[in-house]
Amino acid sequence: MVRQERAVRTRRLILEAAASVFDEYGYEGATIGEVVARAGVTRGAVYFHFASKRELAQGVVEEQFGSDEIPERQCKLQEFVDLGMVVAHLMPRDPLLSAGARLSLGQDVFGDFSGGAAPGWIERAEGVLTAAGRRGELLPQVVPAETAWLVTGAWTGVQIQSQKMSGRADLERRVAVLYQHLMPSIAIPGVLATLDLAADRGARVVAELAAARDAAAEGGAGAEGAAAAGVGGAGRA
């Protein structure tokens, strides 16, 4: 069990180092040697987890879907918006997301990586939209699969344009404007009026998630302390 946990940590360390290298140099310019240096591991450790540079890049693209937390909402369309706004907030700050975008969209690897990250995001968005439809939040003409594809494509275009024009400095504002234009064509009026489409929405959701994790950690520590006290008390009795 200890070896397994160590292997998981090492794999994550390698992926984070690889993400920073791919994000900085692109796929063609990145080297395994640079990944080894940044991760502080041996070359053998990298090849134990990833057989090639291509497999390592694929791992970076896929890893972003392991931590795309979004709180569940009563309003599923708010959850749909939150998904895009959280990614907009994190992308300039998270090398895994940034490198995933570069590897998926960069001309040096165009057509590779099974469509990059887009299929995963489309699938996630379609699932949330389908749930919104079951709750009666969508306008009658909305087809979740088609809308998920369209919104993901539009989001990607906004991200590319923001990267080229401002280094993603305005990404959250631009994505918020995208949703402000698109959601009236998706949501029924009663739901549309309740949606939070502000540019700082992603930052607030990320803070909410961090607070929930901290509370869970404190609760776990408290439970462990109470259990230890109970054992001690039983021993003294």
Side-chain angles (χ1 to χ4, degrees), residues 22 25 32 34 42 54 77 94 105-106 131 164 175 198 206 214:
F22 286 127
Y25 296 108
I32 295 294
E34 184 63 25
T42 65
R54 185 188 186 287
L77 282 184
D94 185 342
L105 303 169
K164 289 182 177 296
V175 171
V206 168
D214 290 344

Side-chain angles (χ1 to χ4, degrees), residues 99-130:
R102 178 164 186 171
L103 289 168
S104 299
L105 303 169
Q107 292 184 351
D108 52 353
V109 290
F110 183 76
D112 208 353
F113 303 122
S114 303
W121 290 118
I122 292 171
E123 182 180 1
R124 178 72 186 274
E126 182 181 348
V128 179
L129 287 170
T130 299

Side-chain angles (χ1 to χ4, degrees), residues 208-220:
E208 176 188 347
L209 288 164
R213 285 193 296 268
D214 290 344
E218 290 176 4

Side-chain angles (χ1 to χ4, degrees), residues 12-22 34-40 60:
R12 176 72 183 190
L13 184 66
I14 292 168
L15 283 171
E16 289 176 348
S20 68
V21 174
F22 286 127
E34 184 63 25
V35 174
V36 167
R38 295 196 188 187
V60 169

Side-chain angles (χ1 to χ4, degrees), residues 123-148:
E123 182 180 1
R124 178 72 186 274
E126 182 181 348
V128 179
L129 287 170
T130 299
R134 286 196 295 266
R135 296 191 182 191
E137 300 175 11
L138 301 180
L139 291 169
Q141 73 273 16
V142 175
V143 179
E146 298 293 340
T147 301

Side-chain angles (χ1 to χ4, degrees), residues 41-75:
V41 300
T42 65
R43 187 176 290 265
V46 173
Y47 283 116
F48 174 80
H49 291 279
F50 305 97
S52 64
K53 184 170 80 168
R54 185 188 186 287
E55 190 173 306
L56 182 56
Q58 184 70 51
V60 169
V61 171
E62 294 173 353
E63 185 69 13
Q64 60 193 286
F65 300 109
S67 58
D68 56 337
E69 297 178 274
I70 300 294
E72 287 194 14
R73 310 289 184 190
Q74 287 291 358
C75 176

